[in-house]
Amino acid sequence: MSQSLTDIAQQLRDSDKKTHLIYAFNGTGKTRLSRIFKELVAPKTENGEDPRAKILYYSAFTEDLFYWDNDLKEDFEPKLVIQPNAFTRWVLEEQGHDQNIIRDFQHYSNNKLTPHFNQTYETTDDSGEKRLVPAFSEVTFSLERGDNTQSGNLKISKAEESNFIWSVFNSLLEQVISTLNIPELTDRDTDQFNQLEYIFIDDPVSSLDENHLIDLAINLAAQVKSSHFDARKGEGVKFIITTHNPLFFNILFNELRSAKKQLLTKHEDGTFELIDQNTDSPFSSHLAFKKQLETAVDTGNIQRHHFNGLRNILEKTATFVGYEQWGSLLPSTDDHRENPYARIINLYSHSKHSGDDSIQVTDNHKRVLVFLVEKLKQMYQLKMSNDREAD
């Protein structure tokens, strides 16, 4: 059934399930859904009511709270600035999670790479005015050496930066769950989480390597399972987890057996659909992806995320038939250069703008997708034919 993202957000809010696990291609609307859901659950009010009371969410907007100050003019060492925000003040200043953040960050990156949170200090701005820089508003990073010395301040990679920001959120998530698992309100060391209803997590794995991705998925699943929930009494926090990463989705699929597994798709008319997935097999979603590709080819409305979907199907198929590389499934060429079809798929699925449908696909590359989808259909027809002969 075609719906708007607002309709889907309403559907998720009205659900009595503890956990919704949702897969969607990049560019489908996961991050927009997280924002719409947040505004639906906790809209901004004039009386200053704190939206954190009802929902915590992690998404690309969370990462926007952190930015690099690279003052090359003054030859300053790089530092990651934390924008003043109720969320960051809550995590760092009020709850004092800095040591937990350092622990988690080093676990998912490098145990020698160390974040250092600033304390309050005085500085002079460009106009010559002195001002105080508040504590926990900046982070620097250094590499600890084996001789008890450390490097100067480093600018970490985008992947490491994403890991750090997730670690900030994850440290709070741990405290929220442990606090709410205490049944008696008077026994809790804080009352700030008592009204919390939802935790929305959108793609925390965009920059993780495979090993750390698996580790994070298992740890996150363990936290979700440990969170007390009683649907009959209406007690406990509900989780919504969205991702475009098939490996992350499949691990959570297997770990969270009671979760509602769904596929978010975007139709050609701009409407959306949330499709329930087979609860026995995490790989069944590839058939829905295949259908979506065939629809795009039939209508001629081919966009960047369709290349990502094609790669997703090829990766799963390669794993199923025992190939090490998904490119082995593509039509071969006469020379030994990089397969041109693989290069085109990678161009759109790995680009930093891969989720941006406003970047147009060239007509030549559209023809390539049409050709490859036809080859994919032949591959699946061959598989079904062989299955019938085996029967």
Side-chain angles (χ1 to χ4, degrees), residues 227-246:
S227 180
H228 169 74
F229 184 79
D230 190 330
R232 292 171 299 177
K233 296 181 179 179
E235 296 178 352
V237 175
K238 297 176 183 178
F239 293 81
I240 300 168
I241 305 172
T242 62
T243 184
H244 76 285
N245 187 290

Side-chain angles (χ1 to χ4, degrees), residues 309-370:
L310 177 59
R311 178 184 170 120
N312 180 290
I313 297 173
L314 291 171
E315 287 174 342
K316 290 182 177 179
T317 306
T319 299
F320 179 77
V321 300
Y323 285 128
E324 292 186 2
Q325 302 292 332
W326 58 268
S328 302
L329 296 171
L330 297 171
S332 59
T333 56
D334 295 332
D335 52 40
H336 298 289
R337 294 180 300 170
E338 178 188 7
N339 189 297
Y341 303 118
R343 180 179 57 79
I344 292 171
I345 293 173
N346 282 330
L347 173 67
Y348 289 103
S349 61
H350 277 174
S351 168
K352 66 180 180 179
H353 299 297
S354 61
D356 187 352
D357 287 341
S358 66
I359 308 299
Q360 296 299 311
V361 180
T362 67
D363 289 340
N364 185 48
H365 291 169
K366 287 181 180 180
R367 288 190 288 270
V368 168
L369 186 77
V370 171

Side-chain angles (χ1 to χ4, degrees), residues 156-322:
I156 59 176
S157 69
K158 180 61 179 176
E160 291 164 336
E161 180 185 339
S162 295
N163 291 347
F164 174 77
I165 297 169
W166 168 253
S167 298
V168 173
F169 181 87
N170 186 62
S171 65
L172 176 61
L173 180 61
E174 289 179 349
Q175 187 194 2
V176 166
I177 293 174
S178 64
T179 300
L180 294 182
N181 280 348
I182 299 172
E184 294 296 331
L185 300 186
T186 55
D187 291 339
R188 298 174 180 176
D189 58 7
T190 178
D191 61 0
Q192 295 189 65
F193 310 135
N194 290 352
Q195 303 304 313
L196 191 65
E197 298 177 11
Y198 298 95
I199 296 176
F200 197 121
I201 299 173
D202 174 33
D203 257 343
V205 296
S206 58
S207 300
L208 284 174
D209 62 67
E210 186 171 290
N211 289 333
H212 287 126
L213 182 152
I214 294 171
D215 196 13
L216 189 150
I218 293 173
N219 290 340
L220 176 59
Q223 290 191 69
V224 173
K225 287 188 287 188
S226 72
S227 180
H228 169 74
F229 184 79
D230 190 330
R232 292 171 299 177
K233 296 181 179 179
E235 296 178 352
V237 175
K238 297 176 183 178
F239 293 81
I240 300 168
I241 305 172
T242 62
T243 184
H244 76 285
N245 187 290
L247 177 59
F248 187 66
F249 178 79
N250 289 339
I251 294 170
L252 290 176
F253 194 112
N254 289 320
E255 293 288 326
L256 301 173
R257 302 305 298 177
S258 62
K260 192 173 185 66
K261 290 87 172 180
Q262 296 169 294
L263 170 68
L264 178 65
T265 63
K266 181 179 179 181
H267 296 304
E268 306 304 328
D269 62 358
T271 60
F272 301 83
E273 187 172 0
L274 202 55
I275 305 169
D276 291 346
Q277 295 297 287
N278 186 318
T279 56
D280 296 324
S281 172
F283 296 101
S284 61
S285 58
H286 73 286
L287 296 177
F289 302 158
K290 176 173 171 287
K291 181 178 180 181
Q292 189 178 67
L293 282 174
E294 291 169 353
T295 300
V297 167
D298 291 341
T299 61
N301 188 8
I302 296 172
Q303 301 177 26
R304 298 182 71 94
H305 68 266
H306 291 124
F307 288 85
N308 201 35
L310 177 59
R311 178 184 170 120
N312 180 290
I313 297 173
L314 291 171
E315 287 174 342
K316 290 182 177 179
T317 306
T319 299
F320 179 77
V321 300

Side-chain angles (χ1 to χ4, degrees), residues 68-81:
W68 285 97
D69 179 7
N70 304 306
D71 195 341
L72 300 180
K73 179 180 178 181
E74 299 295 334
D75 197 28
F76 286 174
E77 294 182 310
K79 56 191 174 185
L80 188 64
V81 178

Side-chain angles (χ1 to χ4, degrees), residues 52-113:
R52 298 171 307 168
K54 293 184 178 180
I55 182 172
L56 290 177
Y57 75 99
Y58 176 92
S59 71
F61 293 103
T62 309
E63 297 197 6
D64 290 341
L65 300 177
F66 301 77
Y67 65 94
W68 285 97
D69 179 7
N70 304 306
D71 195 341
L72 300 180
K73 179 180 178 181
E74 299 295 334
D75 197 28
F76 286 174
E77 294 182 310
K79 56 191 174 185
L80 188 64
V81 178
I82 305 174
Q83 295 195 52
N85 176 272
F87 167 74
T88 55
R89 284 196 297 269
W90 197 27
V91 177
L92 296 169
E93 298 178 39
E94 298 177 27
Q95 304 301 323
H97 284 299
D98 50 315
Q99 292 305 311
N100 291 340
I101 293 168
I102 294 171
R103 176 204 65 195
D104 289 346
F105 171 69
Q106 291 182 330
H107 176 76
Y108 290 115
S109 56
N110 182 331
N111 61 8
K112 300 296 184 184
L113 187 57

